[in-house]
Amino acid sequence: MEPFQEQTVTDYSRAMRELKGWLENATTSDLQRKSNGTRWTNEELLFHMVFGYMIVRTLLPLVRVISSLPPSWRRAFAAGLDTATGPFDVVNYWGSRAAAMVYNRHRMSRKLEKTVAALTRRLQHESPASLARSVPFPTRWDPLFTADMALSDIYSYATRHFDFHAKQLSLGLSEPE
């Protein structure tokens, strides 16, 4: 594996350890407490952090398809998604709330493990050329999206998203080891 791939897998492993630590050490009260700076509870936010990895699995084939389109179509696709930011925000919020009932504290760690395993398998088969494929992204959907994102950016997005939201947790626990 290339250094980027090794670092990405290392970052995925760290996120899995952190999530597992938080879930093992948090009380029901901790998980039901509102997070800092979001409308989610800590448990809902933790699921949303896992969801970032799940969405990457969906984005990978989309990037492959969109990157094969003419540049004007790629830009139009991203612009179209940006116009749908309002509905996206509603679905993102309520979807994470609802999904946290299914992928709750007892199931979300296993879901992250399965998702990371699938991402790692795919990442190991990527070439430098495939990792360089890029497409315009809807920058209004997420503060971590940029106007043009390569496949390598998508793979690393999941952990950047995880780390961004980890700062919003209000679990009252020390950092997991």
Side-chain angles (χ1 to χ4, degrees):
M1 270 197 298
E2 298 288 324
F4 165 78
Q5 292 159 307
E6 290 176 8
Q7 183 60 55
T8 301
V9 171
T10 298
D11 292 343
Y12 289 175
S13 296
R14 176 190 49 82
M16 287 189 300
R17 283 190 313 274
E18 288 182 5
L19 178 71
K20 187 175 182 180
W22 287 322
L23 292 171
E24 287 175 351
N25 294 304
T27 65
T28 299
S29 176
D30 290 332
L31 293 172
Q32 291 173 347
R33 184 179 312 121
K34 285 289 183 191
S35 60
N36 295 316
T38 80
R39 296 184 297 162
W40 289 306
T41 65
N42 284 314
E43 186 169 25
E44 292 163 349
L45 181 57
L46 285 167
F47 169 76
H48 180 74
M49 292 160 63
V50 171
F51 185 65
Y53 290 87
M54 295 165 63
I55 201 71
V56 165
R57 283 190 74 187
T58 303
L59 291 174
L60 295 175
L62 186 63
V63 168
R64 285 180 174 81
V65 170
I66 301 299
S67 69
S68 66
L69 297 173
S72 62
W73 290 27
R74 288 183 244 163
R75 287 188 301 275
F77 182 75
L81 291 176
D82 260 341
T83 64
T85 299
F88 168 81
D89 288 344
V90 170
V91 170
N92 188 38
Y93 172 70
W94 287 103
S96 287
R97 286 199 67 188
M101 289 187 264
V102 175
Y103 293 108
N104 59 25
R105 72 180 305 168
H106 305 291
R107 298 183 69 208
M108 75 174 75
S109 186
R110 182 70 183 130
K111 181 62 176 175
L112 181 58
E113 290 170 10
K114 286 181 173 184
T115 303
V116 163
L119 288 172
T120 299
R121 282 191 302 274
R122 288 185 77 167
L123 179 58
Q124 290 172 334
H125 291 94
E126 298 287 1
S127 67
S130 69
L131 288 169
R133 291 178 88 160
S134 67
V135 297
F137 255 73
T139 56
R140 292 176 53 203
W141 280 33
D142 190 294
L144 301 175
F145 284 170
T146 60
D148 189 68
M149 294 182 72
L151 201 59
S152 60
D153 299 325
I154 305 305
Y155 276 106
S156 62
Y157 163 80
T159 303
R160 289 185 9 253
H161 176 263
F162 183 94
D163 292 343
F164 174 84
H165 285 300
K167 295 172 187 154
Q168 296 173 315
L169 292 169
S170 64
L171 291 171
L173 303 170
S174 60
E175 287 295 314
E177 302 197 14

